[in-house]
Amino acid sequence: MVFEFNIEYKTAYGEEVVLYLINDNKLLRCEMWTSDGRVWKYQLSINRVPKVLTYRYEVECGKTHSRCEWSLMPHTVDITAKRSGTYILYDRWQDIPEDSYLYSSAFTDCINNQRLDNVKTSDFTKTIRLKVRAPQLCDGERLAIVGSGKALKSWDATRAIEMTEQNYNEWIVDLDETAFPDHRMEFKFVVLNADKKEFPLWETGENRIVDSPQIKDNTVVVYELDQSFLDRWNRKLSGTLVPVFSLRSKKSFGVGDFGDLKRMIDWISMVGQRVLQILPINDTTTTHTWTDSYPYSCISIFAIHPQYVDLNVLPALKDKDHMKYYKKLQGELNFLRQVDYEQVNSAKLRYLHELFRQEGSRILRSTSFNAFFKETEQWLVPYAQYCVLRDENKTADFSKWTGHTMWNEEDRKRLSAPGTKDYIKVAFWYFVQYILDFQMKDAHRYARSKGVILKGDIPIGVNRYSCDVWMEPNYFNLNGQAGAPPDAFSANGQNWGFPTYNWEVMLKDGCKWWIHRFQNMAKFFDAYRIDHILGFFRIWEIPVNAVQGLLGQFSPARGMTVDEIRGYGFNFQERRFTEPFITDWVLDRVFRYRAEEVREKYLEKIDDERYRMLPEYDTQRKVEKAFEGTVNQEDKDLLDGLYSLISDVLFIRDYKDYNKFHPRICAQFNFIYESLYDNDKAAFNKLYDDYFYHRNNQFWEDQAMKKLPKLVQATRMLVCAEDLGMVPDCVPAVMNHLKILSLEIQSMPKEPYVRFSHLDRNPYRSVCMISSHDMPTLRQWWDEDLSRAQDYYNSELNHQGSAPHPLPGWLAQDIISRHLKSPSMLCVLSIQDWLAMDESIRLPDENSERINVPADSNHYWRYRMHQNIEDLITDHDFSTAVSELISQAGR
């Protein structure tokens, strides 16, 4: 069979269009030719013809990819015509469309419940196939064609020819070319309802005309046409943010589980919401203590946390006394106001161990388990061994695991062979992950059946002692720590402790680690939030010997040479400005009556003016260790003072190039800056502004475009991003190019010089929220700063007089209503903010609603809903109020 490819693309000098045939994720490169630099052609002969031919086009310049098509929706041709020896294809270049979100599984599989058709076989001697994308169709609607002449039903839309949906939002119809003697077709596309009772909806624009060439018998000519547009408004959806661990039902075991997730989906669906957003559900267990409650510090990007297992749907323990014990313990833990992480996880793991002894051998022999193991063994086997070694060695620090400081691929065979001693040791963890995988997939299927989009969360980092680092250390920089520069959440910056990524290595293999991570997420979710998307442009990297984030630098970033620094008119002195600035007047101001104690115990004199830290205290980590276990507030103040001495520098050396420097973030608040002459302050301010806001913009954009296109097009999930903080100018352009939804929070405006962003200016491609898990809830925010609340009350809400405190329910409802009416595609509010509008059911203590405090690196993540989901479902007044707000906002 012969395929003739044709595509119109006007190339620049040196460019060429290349055809890539796709078969089992393998690419066959075919060089096309052109006679005019505008229409590119290629002829292909195939002996063994596939059922579907899949391909895409790329533009190359000197064998380098300069432009690629939208890889998520490649060109496809179903080989279904009975009489076909030749396919002539007239294609159109496919960039990522503005409405690419309509191709996401969030819309196709959840909102529209689309089911693809089997392509019909045509029996024409000469076939014209029309192919068009029509993503605006809703659930139950179909595309049809009608036009001039008998073959196209003479413009009678009631008799329009139904088309076939061969791919998501892509419709085709085969027509008999001999029915058009003048070789001209004039037509339009129309939308039919499932029951055809309503009058068809016509596409916008002029009539379409296709002039087909004279073709031989047994030929199929395929025309890709411009997208069909309908006169419809953009769809807007509402939803709720709540961590799974925060869910509470009458059947919970002291923590939310996947059974509770399904119950929450019921409430979401009942009130007319379409999105349920949760926090990461990955396993975070390193110590088996409450410090593992941090959901963004995963030990595996694939494994699910055992705490989320729903014990209610598992077989009961045959030991009735044990079953009675667990039932009693369940009641006690579920009665608690907050999650008791240690008790809950200890109890659930004990139960699972007992159940494994009872049911494990049967389950591990099952067909479904074998299918699960085959699908996941690449990560599951190392993870299971990691868990065993962690518990045997009583530490997750694998550098202390004698003989196992790194994953050994040679162990895989023994750990995967049933009946061997090694397999028996790790099989429990196979069993646990099998159950969790089944239950989470079941919740995902349930959400789709209810028309609800499950939105997950992909953390920017992994735990330093995670299975991922143990298994593939070459992907990580262990001499750095990921974090964030100072912001409204933390004056000293945030140190997350995660290792940073070795992007040079990751990019060499096409970011496989990330692609597998995203594809695994797609098994459970139809939308996701990229945590700290700025990290794909540059990450805030902090040296391992630092505690606070102030000593970090953006990585990668273009450091400054001495000559460049002096070129700004700044009198740069290397030693003076790169070592801590410690003088007597600084010590007196920081430590006051304890200044002499600090001089004697922690410092040594280096000249008439300055001191330096003694070697045993010259890094923040050394100081931290010296003060380990400190509870006295005065000593804590002393500790903070010593931290500030060490971070009091004007420049930081580049981690990779000793001869380059970066201005220290927020250096203007340092004593070293205070000591400068006014002309040096002015010169430093100029270079500081240029470095942080201009110098690296194009460089960072290039870095992001090497990574993000591969990742966001790895799945059909709807891509959302957390793009708050110190945002480079290049970020919005990249997100817009890749059609990633931004995060819009009114109290954290992205526009300069405004206190609150204007909700009516939110871009459609965005997620609107009042607060996130890292922020005070609406009620907390309202009472946190009275002058700010007063300003918001008068200027944004247009109310007169004094702002009421605490926040009354009617005012919370007003604020929620305004957010729902914003232009944003998604408006997702935390469960605490939804409950804020009903004073009869919300928590009396607003401070008990907080999920996380970013400034506290040791925060205990334990918030739980105070209401059972069952009670929420039966609370007619509250649910009706939520439904009415959503309906009034057109969501």
Side-chain angles (χ1 to χ4, degrees):
M1 185 174 287
V2 175
F3 294 86
E4 297 180 9
F5 299 87
N6 301 269
I7 186 168
E8 188 173 322
Y9 188 100
K10 190 173 182 180
T11 51
Y13 178 77
E15 291 182 334
E16 62 175 331
V17 178
V18 178
L19 169 70
Y20 280 92
L21 300 175
I22 305 170
N23 184 21
D24 293 330
N25 292 322
K26 295 179 181 178
L27 299 179
L28 175 62
R29 184 177 182 275
C30 307
E31 292 190 8
M32 305 185 75
W33 63 272
T34 180
S35 60
D36 58 5
R38 186 175 63 87
V39 178
W40 291 79
K41 301 174 179 289
Y42 187 81
Q43 188 174 90
L44 176 72
S45 295
I46 300 179
N47 295 324
R48 298 180 63 182
V49 182
K51 291 181 179 179
V52 179
L53 187 68
T54 305
Y55 58 97
R56 70 169 186 254
Y57 299 100
E58 294 188 10
V59 177
E60 296 182 357
C61 186
K63 307 300 181 184
T64 301
H65 302 284
S66 62
R67 191 178 180 195
C68 302
E69 281 194 297
W70 186 27
S71 64
L72 201 59
M73 291 290 290
H75 304 268
T76 58
V77 178
D78 284 82
I79 315 301
T80 54
K82 285 185 178 179
R83 304 183 184 183
S84 58
T86 301
Y87 274 78
I88 303 175
L89 313 170
Y90 292 98
D91 293 321
R92 290 180 176 273
W93 181 271
Q94 303 286 357
D95 281 318
I96 304 176
E98 288 298 317
D99 54 10
S100 60
Y101 62 92
L102 291 173
Y103 295 82
S104 70
S105 61
F107 279 85
T108 61
D109 295 37
C110 300
I111 304 302
N112 291 337
N113 192 30
Q114 288 173 240
R115 296 292 180 267
L116 299 183
D117 302 323
N118 292 320
V119 178
K120 300 171 184 176
T121 302
S122 62
D123 196 22
F124 305 130
T125 305
K126 301 176 181 180
T127 303
I128 299 292
R129 176 174 294 175
L130 302 179
K131 180 163 61 171
V132 65
R133 291 181 177 179
Q136 291 173 283
L137 273 63
C138 297
D139 189 10
E141 294 180 339
R142 300 190 63 77
L143 198 67
I145 184 173
V146 64
S148 63
K150 186 177 178 180
L152 292 175
K153 308 305 179 185
S154 301
W155 296 108
D156 183 356
T158 62
R159 297 189 300 129
I161 303 168
E162 283 199 23
M163 302 176 70
T164 299
E165 190 175 13
Q166 71 158 5
N167 203 351
Y168 291 108
N169 299 323
E170 189 170 77
W171 298 79
I172 64 170
V173 63
D174 284 353
L175 301 171
D176 184 359
E177 197 273 342
T178 62
F180 304 93
D182 60 352
H183 305 290
R184 167 166 284 209
M185 290 173 281
E186 185 175 0
F187 58 92
K188 296 194 80 165
F189 297 112
V190 295
V191 179
L192 305 177
N193 289 326
D195 56 12
K196 289 193 175 181
K197 290 181 180 178
E198 293 186 19
F199 194 80
L201 175 65
W202 293 76
E203 68 172 334
T204 60
E206 301 294 326
N207 294 348
R208 296 175 183 257
I209 295 176
V210 170
D211 291 309
S212 64
Q214 292 189 9
I215 59 176
K216 299 178 181 179
D217 290 349
N218 301 324
T219 298
V220 179
V221 181
V222 183
Y223 290 98
E224 270 190 355
L225 304 176
D226 283 337
Q227 178 173 318
S228 179
F229 286 98
L230 306 174
D231 188 13
R232 282 181 166 167
W233 57 85
N234 291 325
R235 281 184 276 186
K236 299 195 300 180
L237 311 174
S238 63
T240 294
L241 163 66
V242 59
V244 176
F245 63 78
S246 298
L247 297 173
R248 181 192 294 271
S249 76
K250 295 177 181 178
K251 295 185 176 182
S252 302
F253 205 113
V255 68
D257 57 41
F258 291 147
D260 295 332
L261 187 59
K262 293 172 71 174
R263 284 180 273 276
M264 192 65 188
I265 289 167
D266 285 333
W267 181 78
I268 293 288
S269 176
M270 185 185 80
V271 298
Q273 296 183 24
R274 306 304 292 270
V275 183
L276 177 54
Q277 179 175 335
I278 62 176
L279 300 191
I281 56 173
N282 304 86
D283 191 359
T284 58
T285 310
T286 57
T287 65
H288 293 289
T289 67
W290 67 265
T291 57
D292 297 340
S293 66
Y294 182 22
Y296 288 86
S297 183
C298 66
I299 62 165
S300 169
I301 58 173
F302 301 109
I304 299 173
H305 202 304
Q307 71 176 348
Y308 297 123
V309 67
D310 179 8
L311 300 180
N312 297 290
V313 297
L314 299 180
L317 297 179
K318 293 177 181 178
D319 188 318
K320 293 184 178 179
D321 289 339
H322 284 205
M323 199 66 203
K324 186 177 179 181
Y325 162 77
Y326 283 112
K327 284 290 184 184
K328 180 175 179 292
L329 183 58
Q330 177 186 9
E332 293 171 356
L333 292 175
N334 216 28
F335 181 75
L336 298 177
R337 185 174 60 87
Q338 296 174 305
V339 177
D340 186 327
Y341 183 91
E342 293 176 17
Q343 277 209 70
V344 162
N345 280 274
S346 174
K348 282 198 166 185
L349 283 175
R350 290 200 310 271
Y351 187 100
L352 288 169
H353 272 290
E354 290 196 46
L355 187 65
F356 178 66
R357 288 191 289 270
Q358 177 182 300
E359 307 284 344
S361 61
R362 176 183 62 82
I363 289 177
L364 295 184
R365 291 195 306 270
S366 67
T367 302
S368 59
F369 173 80
N370 287 327
F372 162 76
F373 188 83
K374 185 177 180 180
E375 179 189 349
T376 63
E377 62 178 315
Q378 183 61 31
W379 65 263
L380 180 63
V381 175
Y383 164 79
Q385 188 187 35
Y386 168 93
C387 291
V388 169
L389 292 169
R390 173 199 62 202
D391 295 346
E392 284 182 349
N393 290 279
K394 295 182 170 48
T395 178
D397 183 351
F398 41 78
S399 66
K400 300 177 181 177
W401 297 352
T402 304
H404 293 284
T405 56
M406 183 178 170
W407 160 252
N408 185 352
E409 188 62 31
E410 293 180 1
D411 292 343
R412 182 180 294 279
K413 188 174 181 180
R414 290 182 289 104
L415 294 165
S416 304
T420 64
K421 181 178 68 173
D422 294 298
Y423 182 90
I424 292 170
K425 284 181 69 175
V426 299
F428 168 72
W429 296 105
Y430 298 161
F431 167 79
V432 171
Q433 287 302 313
Y434 165 71
I435 291 171
L436 291 163
D437 180 88
F438 178 86
Q439 291 188 357
M440 185 57 206
K441 283 180 178 174
D442 183 55
H444 183 212
R445 284 190 296 269
Y446 189 73
R448 283 185 169 182
S449 73
K450 292 284 189 176
V452 173
I453 300 167
L454 266 187
K455 182 182 175 187
D457 196 328
I458 294 187
I460 187 62
V462 298
N463 191 287
R464 179 170 296 275
Y465 301 115
S466 68
C467 178
D468 300 299
V469 178
W470 179 63
M471 185 180 177
E472 298 177 291
N474 56 311
Y475 283 147
F476 303 91
N477 294 317
L478 296 176
N479 58 352
Q481 307 172 92
D487 56 20
F489 296 126
S490 177
N492 293 318
Q494 299 176 47
N495 184 348
W496 304 324
F498 310 140
T500 56
Y501 295 113
N502 187 343
W503 282 110
E504 291 180 3
V505 173
M506 287 182 160
L507 287 167
K508 283 180 181 177
D509 66 15
C511 295
K512 286 181 181 178
W513 186 85
W514 281 98
I515 289 172
H516 293 158
R517 184 180 189 180
F518 279 58
Q519 290 173 342
N520 185 71
M521 284 277 290
K523 298 190 302 183
F524 309 120
F525 301 100
D526 289 299
Y528 64 93
R529 166 189 177 271
I530 301 178
D531 173 43
H532 195 65
I533 195 173
L534 306 184
F536 291 93
F537 294 77
R538 79 292 184 273
I539 196 70
W540 188 247
E541 189 170 20
I542 306 161
V544 289
N545 60 20
V547 174
Q548 298 175 334
L550 289 170
L551 290 173
Q553 61 185 244
F554 284 124
S555 178
R558 297 167 58 231
M560 307 178 77
T561 64
V562 172
D563 288 341
E564 283 182 296
I565 295 171
R566 289 174 177 163
Y568 284 90
F570 183 79
N571 183 23
F572 183 74
Q573 302 168 48
E574 189 171 313
R575 182 176 173 184
R576 177 179 178 83
F577 295 129
T578 60
E579 296 179 2
F581 181 72
I582 308 173
T583 66
D584 285 317
W585 65 269
V586 169
L587 295 172
D588 290 338
R589 283 172 59 178
V590 173
F591 299 102
R592 293 170 297 176
Y593 67 92
R594 299 190 73 172
E596 192 57 38
E597 175 190 348
V598 171
R599 289 186 188 94
E600 292 179 0
K601 187 172 182 180
Y602 302 102
L603 305 175
E604 61 181 353
K605 195 95 172 178
I606 55 176
D607 56 36
D608 292 339
E609 178 191 16
R610 297 177 65 170
Y611 298 83
R612 67 181 167 213
M613 304 295 295
L614 288 170
E616 57 267 38
Y617 302 111
D618 61 2
T619 71
Q620 290 185 342
R621 287 294 177 199
K622 290 179 180 179
V623 172
E624 179 187 46
K625 187 171 181 61
F627 281 75
E628 203 168 26
T630 296
V631 294
N632 181 285
Q633 186 57 49
E634 286 193 354
D635 285 345
K636 287 182 178 180
D637 292 340
L638 178 60
L639 172 66
D640 289 338
L642 293 173
Y643 284 164
S644 70
L645 288 186
I646 293 169
S647 63
D648 198 336
V649 295
L650 208 59
F651 289 89
I652 295 171
R653 286 189 187 276
D654 188 276
Y655 299 150
K656 296 181 179 178
D657 189 337
Y658 187 83
N659 296 314
K660 290 185 178 179
F661 305 87
H662 305 259
R664 208 217 74 177
I665 192 78
C666 296
Q668 289 87 343
F669 299 101
N670 280 3
F671 291 114
I672 181 65
Y673 178 83
E674 184 179 333
S675 71
L676 298 176
Y677 292 115
D678 287 346
N679 61 318
D680 277 335
K681 287 181 180 178
F684 179 81
N685 290 342
K686 185 178 179 181
L687 74 84
Y688 181 96
D689 180 74
D690 183 50
Y691 173 85
F692 282 110
Y693 299 104
H694 306 287
R695 177 183 178 86
N696 290 289
N697 268 328
Q698 186 59 54
F699 177 66
W700 287 336
E701 179 177 339
D702 294 342
Q703 298 303 307
M705 290 303 294
K706 292 177 184 176
K707 311 162 191 171
L708 284 174
K710 296 181 177 69
L711 309 186
V712 301
Q713 296 185 62
T715 75
R716 288 199 310 112
M717 291 186 289
L718 181 66
V719 188
C720 311
E722 181 267 292
D723 57 335
L724 304 176
M726 195 173 179
V727 184
D729 289 344
C730 60
V731 172
V734 170
M735 290 179 59
N736 185 59
H737 176 75
L738 298 175
K739 317 308 177 197
I740 300 172
L741 275 65
S742 63
L743 176 59
E744 306 297 329
I745 296 179
Q746 192 177 21
S747 60
M748 297 185 67
K750 294 173 180 175
E751 310 96 321
Y753 314 119
V754 298
R755 195 170 192 181
F756 312 108
S757 64
H758 301 288
L759 292 173
D760 59 354
R761 296 182 188 172
N762 284 6
Y764 171 67
R765 202 159 47 233
S766 69
V767 181
C768 175
M769 302 184 76
I770 295 176
S771 64
S772 74
H773 64 275
D774 277 334
M775 299 171 61
T777 61
L778 174 58
R779 293 169 64 202
Q780 283 184 303
W781 180 85
W782 188 258
D783 288 335
E784 194 176 60
D785 185 331
L786 299 186
S787 65
R788 181 183 61 192
Q790 185 66 53
D791 185 10
Y792 184 80
Y793 184 73
N794 298 140
S795 64
E796 297 301 315
L797 301 181
N798 297 316
H799 291 301
Q800 303 298 314
S802 299
H805 291 275
L807 181 70
W810 66 265
L811 190 52
Q813 183 167 328
D814 182 20
I815 295 171
I816 289 170
S817 175
R818 292 168 188 260
H819 280 75
L820 287 169
K821 291 175 181 175
S822 74
S824 299
M825 180 194 304
L826 306 183
C827 181
V828 179
L829 308 182
S830 69
I831 187 63
Q832 302 97 305
D833 289 346
W834 281 113
L835 291 170
M837 67 184 193
D838 192 326
E839 295 179 41
S840 67
I841 62 172
R842 69 189 192 186
L843 267 173
D845 178 15
E846 62 193 43
N847 293 317
S848 298
E849 297 179 335
R850 188 75 184 258
I851 295 176
N852 180 41
V853 180
D856 181 4
S857 59
N858 293 312
H859 184 74
Y860 192 170
W861 297 63
R862 61 189 314 198
Y863 164 75
R864 282 193 84 193
M865 292 169 56
H866 63 291
Q867 272 211 326
N868 292 318
I869 300 172
E870 296 91 337
D871 295 336
L872 205 60
I873 291 173
T874 58
D875 191 326
H876 176 77
D877 292 343
F878 176 68
S879 294
T880 299
V882 172
S883 296
E884 288 178 351
L885 284 176
I886 293 168
S887 177
Q888 290 165 6
R891 291 189 179 271

